[in-house]
Amino acid sequence: MKITEKILVTSLLLLAISFSGVQAQYLEEFEEKVTEFTLDNGLTFVVIERPVAPVVSFATYVNVGGANNPLGNSGLAHVFEHMAFKGTHEVGTSNWKKEKKVLQKLDATYQKWLEEKHSINPDSTRINKLWSEFEALQEEAGQYVVNNEFSEIVNRNGGTGMNATTSADRTNYFYSLPENRIELWFSLESDRFLNPVFREFYKEKEVVREERRSSYESSPVGKLYEAFLTTAYKAHPYGTPNIGWHSDITATTMEDAREFYETYYVPNNITIAIAGDVDPNEVRKLAKTYFGRLKKGPTPPPIFTEEPEQIAEKRFTIEQQSQPFLLLGYHTVNDQHPDHNALNLLSNILVGGRTSKLYKRLVEKEQVALGFQNLNGVPGTKYESMFALLAVPNRGYDTDTLETAIYEELEKIKNGEITQEELDRVRTNARAGLIRGLDSNSGLAVRLGQAQSLQGDWKKVFTNLEDLEAVTIEDIQRVAKKYLVKENRTVGSIVNALAGEVADANQ
């Protein structure tokens, strides 16, 4: 390691360690830089002053994710995310009035095609006729589309990092602009939520369908992960993949998307975080001018379904020509539960990097595994989640051997074989991770915006660390005994067709 690298690492560790003793003070100082306000329509803003450069980052969080998809429309939250970049009544079109009429005919024709296709006695002649009409209307609608106009406006004005993501719990949109283009952001962002369009909706559905093929069906790990969730959950919507099922993607219409928008994309379900060289008073004024136009809507329907207690281990095996993989997990709690922090630290002690228990024993010492991935908190944390890990066996070893070794390490933890040094290390890593995450405008906007949206308070970013400080070795041992038990476990593996021969060779 170079001297400069040593200095950097040492400084980071010292900063993280010192942070543990002054968290309350640090939060108080940070509060002076944060302004929080809520418009009359319920839309909440969190503004972070950071005048280190004339750049501002914006993060818009909508409190809706894959878990909120209507029955029969899985994947809709993801599809709608794609729509947010298609423009508005003014942006992305050469003639919105004409385009709107064509889009209405397009969706009506598609709905008729769906009805006929799924009727008791489908008429193939009518199905083909309707599909031909649909394709003609789609081509006609395309004549009015100004491709990528929204993103090009952002890029021409110095915008960077424009993107969006959809998880099981939330949808977020983010990018950065120069400080003197802040009003442009307010104009564009408010307009696309005030005047949403479903431009190229059916083309984007095919984009999402292709994402499903590449991320799940053509990927061994993606296939394993999807099967794991659908096996682990039998009632809660966490068991349905965010990307959606093929049949649901086909069945989803523009009208479904509009109902989804009217239900969840209401200002009282949106949080916006802004970080950078900004004046909070100017932000408040612009927020009222632009976002004040959005009408407050009914509170979106909550999810009442709870996953029943699992009473027996669940297992499945996928046989294919592939690198073997092992994915196992246990039902645990959401991020508001008192045990959440202890489970997080336990996960990092077990598989958190090269100093973790499993890496040191199974990768470095015994070379049974090629590596591990920490998947604690999947598929989300708003509701009862999964404590999971992905493991890759080394050549010459099967998933059964690796699985047995993992359970041996879990039993050691349950029996108290955990040191204060290990606990302190993962806490230090958590603090260092926070500091790194808050070292940029975009990091600030994303971290604080997510905490405000999902946990109801941006200060959770800091108070969660205080909660970590209270976790003891006894807490780690207790949650391991409580949750990491066989009857609460789901185990999935990908086994190569030659795995049986490998197993025989090792005997």
Side-chain angles (χ1 to χ4, degrees):
M1 181 181 290
K2 297 178 181 178
I3 294 177
T4 53
E5 292 175 335
K6 287 184 178 180
I7 293 174
L8 178 62
V9 172
T10 302
S11 299
L12 181 62
L13 288 176
L14 288 174
L15 181 59
I17 292 169
S18 64
F19 185 67
S20 65
V22 294
Q23 286 175 13
Q25 179 183 347
Y26 188 82
L27 175 56
E28 290 177 5
E29 293 175 357
F30 205 86
E31 283 183 295
E32 297 177 3
K33 303 173 184 177
V34 177
T35 301
E36 178 189 343
F37 63 88
T38 301
L39 300 180
D40 291 341
N41 58 17
L43 200 157
T44 297
F45 281 82
V46 178
V47 184
I48 308 105
E49 296 177 72
R50 189 173 182 267
V52 297
V55 179
V56 182
S57 293
F58 308 88
T60 301
Y61 277 85
V62 187
N63 196 0
V64 60
N68 304 99
N69 286 323
L71 184 64
N73 293 131
S74 61
L76 182 50
H78 187 121
V79 174
F80 193 88
E81 171 214 308
H82 284 232
M83 290 295 96
F85 294 101
K86 291 298 180 179
T88 66
H89 298 175
E90 304 294 333
V91 177
T93 182
S94 60
N95 190 321
W96 169 242
K97 289 184 179 180
K98 291 183 178 180
E99 183 187 16
K100 180 181 179 181
K101 291 180 180 179
V102 179
L103 290 177
Q104 289 173 339
K105 292 179 182 178
L106 177 71
D107 197 45
T109 302
Y110 189 83
Q111 290 185 41
K112 291 177 183 177
W113 174 80
L114 273 178
E115 291 170 3
E116 186 63 38
K117 181 179 174 64
H118 294 284
S119 63
I120 297 176
N121 296 303
D123 184 337
S124 59
T125 301
R126 186 164 188 265
I127 289 174
N128 292 335
K129 180 176 181 295
L130 287 168
W131 188 255
S132 295
E133 291 176 8
F134 168 79
E135 290 184 315
L137 288 166
Q138 187 154 248
E139 184 174 349
E140 182 181 353
Q143 297 175 2
Y144 301 106
V145 175
V146 180
N147 287 315
N148 303 316
E149 186 174 19
F150 186 93
S151 58
E152 288 179 0
I153 291 174
V154 173
N155 292 337
R156 285 199 305 268
N157 285 273
T160 58
M162 186 171 70
N163 210 337
T165 63
T166 304
S167 75
D169 293 336
R170 53 96 189 113
T171 307
N172 70 318
Y173 307 86
F174 49 90
Y175 58 94
S176 300
L177 281 169
E179 177 272 335
N180 60 1
R181 292 293 187 269
I182 184 173
E183 188 165 3
L184 173 66
W185 179 87
F186 274 94
S187 175
L188 289 173
E189 194 77 355
S190 64
D191 193 32
R192 67 172 170 174
F193 291 128
L194 181 66
N195 300 305
V197 298
F198 301 96
R199 188 170 292 131
E200 298 185 313
F201 179 79
Y202 291 102
K203 289 185 178 180
E204 286 302 316
K205 285 208 305 175
E206 293 312 306
V207 173
V208 171
R209 195 191 302 278
E210 185 55 38
E211 287 182 18
R212 174 179 175 76
R213 293 191 184 101
S214 61
S215 298
Y216 290 88
E217 296 164 17
S218 300
S219 165
V221 173
K223 188 181 296 184
L224 177 65
Y225 178 70
E226 181 175 84
F228 174 78
L229 292 183
T230 57
T231 303
Y233 288 95
K234 66 179 181 181
H236 196 275
Y238 269 174
T240 302
N242 292 336
I243 199 74
W245 303 115
H246 276 298
S247 58
D248 286 357
I249 294 172
T250 298
T252 298
T253 67
M254 290 164 59
E255 184 59 32
D256 293 327
R258 178 166 296 281
E259 292 179 5
F260 183 83
Y261 159 77
E262 292 175 350
T263 301
Y264 296 102
Y265 276 70
V266 290
N268 38 306
N269 201 43
I270 298 175
T271 299
I272 294 175
I274 301 174
D277 189 6
V278 292
D279 177 354
N281 293 324
E282 180 188 9
V283 170
R284 190 188 298 266
K285 180 180 177 181
L286 291 171
K288 290 181 179 179
T289 299
Y290 289 96
F291 284 94
R293 298 178 297 169
L294 277 66
K295 294 182 179 180
K296 183 175 183 177
T299 301
I303 294 176
F304 293 117
T305 302
E306 295 181 5
E307 184 66 19
E309 181 180 359
Q310 186 170 313
I311 59 175
E313 182 186 59
K314 300 178 182 180
R315 303 186 71 91
F316 68 91
T317 301
I318 300 172
E319 292 187 7
Q320 67 177 63
Q321 293 296 324
S322 166
Q323 161 70 48
F325 292 94
L326 172 68
L327 177 56
L328 61 88
Y330 303 81
H331 289 281
T332 57
V333 298
N334 66 10
D335 58 14
Q336 301 299 306
H337 193 280
D339 288 342
H340 177 71
N341 288 305
L343 286 163
N344 263 343
L345 293 177
L346 169 57
S347 179
N348 287 319
I349 289 170
L350 197 63
V351 291
R354 293 176 178 272
T355 56
S356 64
K357 285 183 176 295
L358 291 183
Y359 190 93
K360 287 193 295 185
R361 174 189 165 183
L362 301 179
V363 177
E364 290 185 346
K365 184 179 179 181
E366 299 179 8
Q367 299 183 356
V368 174
L370 292 175
F372 298 90
Q373 183 176 352
N374 183 346
L375 295 178
N376 184 40
V378 295
T381 58
K382 187 190 295 186
Y383 308 100
E384 291 185 356
S385 188
M386 296 291 292
F387 179 103
L389 64 89
L390 176 70
V392 187
N394 205 346
R395 183 179 180 84
Y397 292 93
D398 57 25
T399 55
D400 290 341
T401 302
L402 185 53
E403 184 181 354
T404 299
I406 291 171
Y407 297 152
E408 289 173 356
E409 290 302 310
L410 288 178
E411 288 306 310
K412 290 178 183 179
I413 290 176
K414 293 177 184 179
N415 291 329
E417 292 187 33
I418 177 175
T419 67
Q420 188 64 44
E421 180 183 359
E422 288 174 313
L423 179 55
D424 291 341
R425 172 180 54 79
V426 294
R427 268 202 287 249
T428 298
N429 289 340
R431 290 193 293 270
L434 171 69
I435 293 169
R436 286 192 297 268
L438 301 180
D439 196 32
S440 66
N441 290 340
S442 58
L444 282 167
V446 167
R447 289 289 188 96
L448 271 64
Q450 179 167 309
Q452 181 69 40
S453 177
L454 296 183
Q455 296 181 285
D457 188 355
W458 63 265
K459 300 183 188 68
K460 289 282 188 178
V461 170
F462 303 99
T463 58
N464 283 344
L465 279 182
E466 295 179 359
D467 295 338
L468 288 178
E469 289 296 324
V471 176
T472 65
I473 291 176
E474 289 72 26
D475 290 326
I476 300 291
Q477 186 179 6
R478 175 181 57 79
V479 296
K481 290 180 177 180
K482 181 176 181 179
Y483 300 104
L484 309 191
V485 295
K486 182 178 180 180
E487 60 269 23
N488 189 37
R489 185 166 68 211
T490 299
V491 183
S493 60
I494 293 180
V495 178
N496 196 292
L498 302 177
E501 297 177 17
V502 174
D504 291 340
N506 286 335
Q507 293 178 352

